[in-house]
Amino acid sequence: MAAVAGCFARREARATAAELVVGLLLELDTRNCWTLAQALGHPGPHRLQHLLSRARFDHDQAREEIVRLVIDELAGQDVVLVVDETGDAKSSTDCVGAGRQYSGAIGGVGLCQVAVHLAAVSATTRVIIDRALYLPADWAADEERREVAGVPEEIVFATKPQQALAMVTGALQAGLKGRWFAGDEVYCGRELRRGMRSLGLGYTVGIAATYQVTDGAGRRREARKLISKVRPGQWMRRQTGHGTKGTREYDWAWLDVRPDDTPDENENENENAAGAGTSVLVARRHRYTGEVSYFRCWAPGDVSLGTLVEVICRRWRIEETFQLTKGYTGLDQGQVTCWNSWMRWSLFSLIASAVLTLTAAAIHEDSQRQPELIPLTCPELIRLLRALVLPPPTRDRDHVLHRIAWRRHHQAVATTCHQQRHRLHDQPGSRTTAAVSVTCRDAS
C-alpha cells in the first residue's frame, strides 16, 4: 500500500483502500462491499462504495506502481507475457460491458462481462499485471449506456487482440524485460503476431486444427493435414510439468512453415530477410487419447523444441492465476456496475493477489533449503496470513445484529421502489423509465 499511497488525494480514501485489500484476503464465503464491510466492522457498505465509485483516486497510476514492484521482483528472470480472457456472469445489461457473448468461464454464450488479462510468468512466479474490460461493439456505440456507466470518452471499441497488444506494449514500456508472448486461439491473428514481432518478442499462439499455414514448398494447408505427414518416429515425448498424479508428459512434433506476419518495415525486403527467425508449427499429442493441439510459433533467432514447449506450458499458468484471484481475492465477485467501480475493484483484487504472489516468491529460496518440503504455495500462504497476520472478521453480537437490521431495511426499501417502478410503468401515459428510476433512487 505504500507503493500506491501517492495515488490518493485524501488519507481517508487511502486507509479505506488498505482495509479493502485486507478484507479481500479474509476468509469469507463471498466478497462484495456488503460482506467486506461487515467483516471489517463498518456500520454499512458506504465507505467501500464511495472508494470504488467516487473517491479521488488515480487507479491507472496505482496499477503502474504495482507493475514496478513486479518488475523489480522479476528482474533477471526469463519472463513470458501471457494473455487470456475470463468472464463473469451478469443478470443485467446495465453492468458496464455486459452483453450476450462467449466466455469459457461460464461454459458458453451468456450474459456476462469479459475482461482480457495480461500476466507475467516466470519459472517461479505468476502474477497478473494488467487488465482491460472488453466492450462489445453495440455497447461501445451506445452513448446513453456509456454515459450512465461513466465510460471515458477516449475508450472506444477494440478487439481482444488489440487490447492484448496495447497491454503488452505498455508493460514493455514500463520496463518489463520479456522475451516471449503466449496466447490461445483468440490471439492468433496476423495483426497481433505482427505487433509482437515489431516489439521484438517471440510468440507461441494456439490455432485451430483447420487453421491454414504455408509449408516450406509454398503450399497452403490445414494444420492437421500438415502434421499428419509427421512419421511416428518423429514425435518426441517431453515432460510438461507435475500434477497431483505425477509427471505430465505429451508427445510433440514441429514442422517449418513460412511466416506471414513480417512487420511493415521489412515487407519490401527480399524473401530471405523477411523470413528471418524461426517460424514453425508445433503439435502436442496426448499420449493416451491421441488428441492433438496446434500452435503457431516464431522466434527471433534459432530456438529448440524444448524452449517452445516450455513457453507453451507457461501459458497454462494464467489459468492457475485466475483460480487464485477468483477463489482468494474476489476478482469475479465485485457486483459493480460502473466503469470506475469495475476498474478499481479489479485493481484491488490484483493488488491482493500480488501480495500473495510476491510474498511466496520472496520465500522461495528458503523453501529450496528444505528439500523435504515442497515450495510454499499461495493457498498455504494465505492460510498462514489468516492465522498469524490478518485480523479476524468482525463477528461481535451488536455488530452482527446491526448489520442484519440494516440489510433487512435496505432490502425492504429496494422492494418498495421496485414495486413502485412497475406500477408507474404500467399506468397509461406514465413517465419514462429514466424518470421512474430517478424517483426510486431518490426514495431509497
Side-chain angles (χ1 to χ4, degrees):
M1 294 308 300
V4 300
C7 304
F8 295 88
R10 297 178 61 88
R11 64 179 180 87
E12 293 86 355
R14 185 170 66 248
T16 303
E19 287 185 299
L20 176 55
V21 174
V22 169
L24 288 171
L25 292 172
L26 297 180
E27 187 173 2
L28 301 172
D29 293 332
T30 58
R31 295 171 179 83
N32 54 56
C33 287
W34 283 30
T35 58
L36 291 178
Q38 180 170 347
L40 294 170
H42 295 184
H46 312 99
R47 284 172 56 188
L48 298 180
Q49 291 173 343
H50 175 77
L51 171 69
L52 294 177
S53 60
R54 297 179 298 277
R56 293 179 59 191
F57 165 43
D58 190 342
H59 49 257
D60 290 326
Q61 181 185 349
R63 184 198 59 80
E64 295 172 1
E65 296 296 339
I66 297 300
V67 170
R68 292 189 181 95
L69 289 180
V70 174
I71 291 174
D72 292 340
E73 178 63 37
L74 297 178
Q77 300 187 40
D78 187 15
V79 177
V80 178
L81 294 172
V82 181
V83 168
D84 200 3
E85 74 276 357
T86 186
D88 306 329
K90 296 297 177 182
S91 59
S92 170
T93 56
D94 292 338
C95 297
V96 58
R100 287 194 58 81
Q101 51 192 324
Y102 174 82
S103 170
I106 66 174
V109 177
L111 181 58
C112 61
Q113 285 176 323
V114 173
V116 180
H117 293 75
L118 173 66
V121 180
S122 69
T124 60
T125 305
R126 59 183 188 275
V127 57
I128 296 177
I129 59 175
D130 202 355
R131 75 278 183 249
L133 180 63
Y134 175 72
L135 298 180
D138 59 338
W139 219 106
D142 192 327
E143 294 296 334
E144 182 177 350
R145 284 199 293 184
R146 289 174 61 98
E147 182 177 0
V148 171
V151 179
E153 293 183 359
E154 63 271 18
I155 302 299
V156 297
F157 172 73
T159 64
K160 296 171 187 176
Q162 289 171 340
Q163 291 178 321
L165 180 58
M167 289 191 292
V168 171
T169 302
L172 295 179
Q173 291 175 347
L176 185 64
K177 304 299 182 182
R179 296 177 51 201
W180 292 92
F181 167 82
D184 60 15
E185 294 181 18
V186 177
Y187 306 97
C188 68
R190 183 181 303 177
E191 178 184 356
L192 178 59
R193 292 187 284 112
R194 179 180 287 126
M196 294 304 156
R197 289 186 59 173
S198 298
L199 295 172
L201 298 179
Y203 62 76
T204 63
V205 292
I207 58 175
T210 56
Y211 186 95
Q212 291 195 343
V213 295
T214 304
D215 62 16
R219 294 170 296 192
R220 297 281 293 174
R221 308 183 67 177
E222 292 183 352
R224 60 185 178 185
K225 295 181 179 179
L226 189 59
I227 289 296
S228 66
K229 302 298 181 181
V230 177
R231 294 190 295 271
Q234 293 178 317
W235 289 88
M236 291 170 279
R237 182 160 298 172
R238 300 194 65 90
Q239 178 179 321
T240 61
H242 297 276
T244 57
K245 298 181 180 179
T247 302
R248 290 192 295 263
E249 294 181 338
Y250 289 87
D251 295 330
W252 298 81
W254 65 343
L255 293 170
D256 290 335
V257 295
R258 291 189 179 182
D260 62 350
D261 50 14
T262 305
D264 294 339
E265 58 267 22
N266 294 332
E267 285 184 347
N268 295 326
E269 298 182 8
N270 59 55
E271 182 177 350
N272 292 332
T278 303
S279 180
V280 295
L281 172 66
V282 176
R284 183 193 70 208
R285 185 178 66 187
H286 195 283
R287 58 186 298 189
Y288 300 124
T289 66
E291 181 181 0
V292 180
S293 300
Y294 305 90
F295 305 88
R296 179 154 196 165
C297 310
W298 182 86
D302 294 334
V303 66
S304 65
L305 177 60
T307 299
L308 294 179
V309 169
E310 181 180 359
V311 175
I312 291 171
C313 293
R314 285 196 190 180
R315 191 199 73 80
W316 302 339
R317 304 290 296 277
I318 196 172
E319 300 294 345
E320 301 171 0
T321 308
F322 283 149
Q323 292 179 5
L324 173 70
T325 53
K326 290 183 177 183
Y328 293 98
T329 65
L331 179 63
D332 61 340
Q333 300 176 25
Q335 298 182 3
V336 293
T337 59
C338 297
W339 177 266
N340 259 6
S341 300
W342 187 91
M343 295 295 292
R344 294 178 179 185
W345 178 272
S346 61
L347 170 69
F348 289 122
S349 176
L350 299 186
I351 290 177
S353 176
V355 168
L356 298 177
T357 302
L358 298 184
T359 304
I363 62 178
H364 181 71
E365 293 183 0
D366 293 337
S367 299
Q368 290 179 325
R369 300 190 187 101
Q370 298 175 303
E372 71 277 7
L373 300 177
I374 66 169
L376 187 66
T377 63
C378 284
E380 291 291 348
L381 173 61
I382 198 170
R383 293 187 185 100
L384 286 175
L385 292 176
R386 288 169 177 172
L388 305 176
V389 179
L390 298 173
T394 303
R395 292 192 174 98
D396 64 88
R397 176 179 178 275
D398 292 340
H399 177 68
V400 171
L401 292 176
H402 165 76
R403 288 308 305 263
I404 291 176
W406 183 90
R407 185 183 300 108
R408 292 171 63 191
H409 171 72
H410 181 88
Q411 291 173 341
V413 172
T415 300
T416 301
C417 291
H418 184 73
Q419 294 172 347
Q420 179 186 4
R421 179 184 180 186
H422 282 307
R423 287 196 300 268
L424 292 175
H425 184 78
D426 292 339
Q427 291 177 1
S430 63
R431 288 170 290 176
T432 63
T433 301
V436 175
S437 299
V438 171
T439 300
C440 294
R441 184 169 64 248
D442 292 342
S444 63

